Amino acid sequence: EVQLVQSGAEVKKPGESLKISCKGSGYSFTGYWIGWVRQMPGKGLEWMGIIYPGDSDTRYSPSFQGQVTISADKSISTAYLQWSSLKASDTGMYYCARLRGSSLTTWYFDLWGRGTLVTVSS
Amino acid sequence: QSVLTQPPSVSAAPGQKVTISCSGSSSNIGNNYVSWYQQLPGTAPKLLIYDNNKRPSGIPDRFSGSKSGTSATLDITGLQTGDEADYYCGTWDSSLSAGVFGGGTKLTVL
């Protein structure tokens, strides 16, 4: 089955670090970009950034550049999203998704993970 | 504040048609393909339309997309109560060199 399986919910304190994961299966993981999308409580979708697991080429939305780090380990078909110092405003649902399109400018996400809920509270 | 503008909400009766708009600019919709996503309550988004007007397999033809200039539209005909969801448009923004989503539209089937 073609799927993206995300790691479980996390509860963290401000200032702590965190790394969440997204494991792809049923397709060639290194052949497609993987994106991360944030959804804050009661809010809309926000495009955070993408990574090409084949060579770890990474692009960030300006809003998230420097705030998070996207990485991948192609040997285990897994992409990651990490924070070095969490803030309360990082609370939200984080989705990974497989990017399609003939080029990045024609992107769309055709396969989504179920999301990882991150709660940051003191 | 998203660079793509969608109406916060739309509503219509079962069986009717609804149109959801997505307005942008020449740096995004005007020169790039648009995709649309449906997010049912408590679930992950799902791809409805890509490349402005193409449907993935399994998406009924009640859902259709179009684009004209710097705006895109999602039409849903034969509304069903199961269509109640949030709908998002997405595209590339050349000024940001990143993807962007619209703010989302909540569809209520009365």
Side-chain angles (χ1 to χ4, degrees):
Chain A
E1 180 186 3
V2 177
Q3 61 182 347
L4 295 171
V5 178
Q6 297 190 232
S7 50
E10 301 275 2
V11 179
K12 292 288 189 179
K13 289 181 167 49
E16 292 186 330
S17 63
L18 175 64
K19 192 173 188 178
I20 63 175
S21 66
C22 169
K23 182 175 177 62
S25 62
Y27 74 97
S28 175
F29 188 73
T30 55
Y32 298 87
W33 292 80
I34 290 287
W36 287 95
V37 177
R38 181 175 79 175
Q39 187 167 38
M40 298 174 75
K43 302 298 184 182
L45 306 177
E46 298 175 88
W47 203 97
M48 301 178 69
I50 55 175
I51 187 165
Y52 190 73
D55 61 7
S56 291
D57 185 5
T58 308
R59 316 289 175 87
Y60 294 94
S61 172
S63 299
F64 293 93
Q65 179 82 49
Q67 307 305 306
V68 297
T69 301
I70 295 172
S71 61
D73 184 339
K74 63 183 180 181
S75 69
I76 55 172
S77 301
T78 300
Y80 301 98
L81 178 65
Q82 70 179 88
W83 295 260
S84 58
S85 180
L86 286 160
K87 302 183 283 289
S89 57
D90 292 317
T91 293
M93 183 71 83
Y94 292 84
Y95 295 101
C96 65
R98 184 177 70 176
L99 186 147
R100 302 295 299 275
S102 56
S103 72
L104 289 182
T105 62
T106 63
W107 74 273
Y108 57 94
F109 289 132
D110 73 328
L111 177 69
W112 292 72
R114 291 189 175 187
T116 294
L117 181 62
V118 174
T119 302
V120 183
S121 175
S122 54
Chain B
Q1 189 84 358
S2 176
V3 298
L4 303 180
T5 301
Q6 297 183 234
S9 63
V10 295
S11 62
Q16 297 300 303
K17 172 185 173 181
V18 70
T19 296
I20 298 173
S21 61
C22 176
S23 178
S25 68
S26 58
S27 70
N28 42 66
I29 291 177
N31 284 286
N32 295 296
Y33 285 142
V34 176
S35 53
W36 288 91
Y37 304 86
Q38 176 193 60
Q39 187 176 32
L40 296 169
T43 70
K46 173 184 174 182
L47 177 67
L48 283 181
I49 299 289
Y50 67 98
D51 290 0
N52 301 330
N53 55 19
K54 297 176 183 172
R55 283 187 308 275
S57 61
I59 301 299
D61 59 7
R62 300 189 297 109
F63 296 90
S64 63
S66 62
K67 190 186 94 167
S68 178
T70 59
S71 292
T73 297
L74 174 69
D75 288 326
I76 310 173
T77 59
L79 276 172
Q80 302 173 1
T81 55
D83 295 332
E84 285 203 336
D86 294 322
Y87 292 83
Y88 296 89
C89 57
T91 189
W92 183 262
D93 190 288
S94 303
S95 297
L96 299 174
S97 291
V100 290
F101 288 105
T105 299
K106 183 176 181 61
L107 168 63
T108 300
V109 181
L110 302 169

